[in-house]
Amino acid sequence: MEIDELNKRIKECKKCRLSETRMNAICGEGNLNAKIMLIAQAPGEKENRAGKMFIGPSGKVLDELLNKAEIKRHEIYMTNLIKCMLPKYRKPKQDEIKACSYYLNEEIKLINPKILAPLGYYATCYIFQKYSILSPSKAEFSSIYGKLFLGGDKKILPLPHPATLLHNPDFKQDLIESYRKLQVLLKDCKWYPVCPMKRFYEEGKLDRKWIELYCKGDWESCIRYQMEEKGEFHPDWMLPDGTLDEKYIGRSGKNN
Ligand code: SF4
């Protein structure tokens, strides 16, 4: 299916009760070759009226966060887990998620982004379930925002929904930091060409997940990277999370 055909189906969809209260079902928007797909929960009131994504107060916050991350809207693809407004901003019901996520799954297939950034609790739970990643409890949920996960061939970066800032302006710096990770993920670590992790991976000694999560992912969080930047000694077999792989302790002690 092409994107135009999919969007036509979204606009005409009557698969769940939300079709009775919506004004517009909102299709995804943005770059069809995007590396990053943002997945919000559902449209708000302004979006529902105008039939466009992120034009209300959350959209303003999103623009500011993307701006700080030096990412332009036209570089990414944005969509919702639920395509129609939830009456009085109530929580989505499981049967609504089940019915509507068909469209999101098709969008992921068509756009094929490398990075999925679900915004907020429901979008993140859905994406984690889809890619068989264990969700944390609701109480611990905020701890995963801004952290990178791997699911199949996708990198998954859960982010707080921009609307968080409308209710809790004190979290602004935290949100800026989390969204800035999107920019980090677009580039590989500058040390990768000379890093022992590359060599060990190519020799088949190191699991690919380390390369994807750190060297070609969130290299800023890599302990090796941080120590390299400070000129601090670290053994070849120190893994990116700072642990030593005991199989190799004692075999080498050189810096990068
Ligand atoms: S292990 Fe760390 S320092 Fe080495 S290339 Fe990967 S991210 Fe960079």
Side-chain angles (χ1 to χ4, degrees), residues 189 191-192 195 197 214-215 219 222 224-225 240 256:
C189 174
W191 297 111
Y192 187 58
C195 184
M197 295 298 111
Y214 290 95
C215 316
W219 41 267
C222 172
R224 297 189 64 96
Y225 168 82
N256 273 0

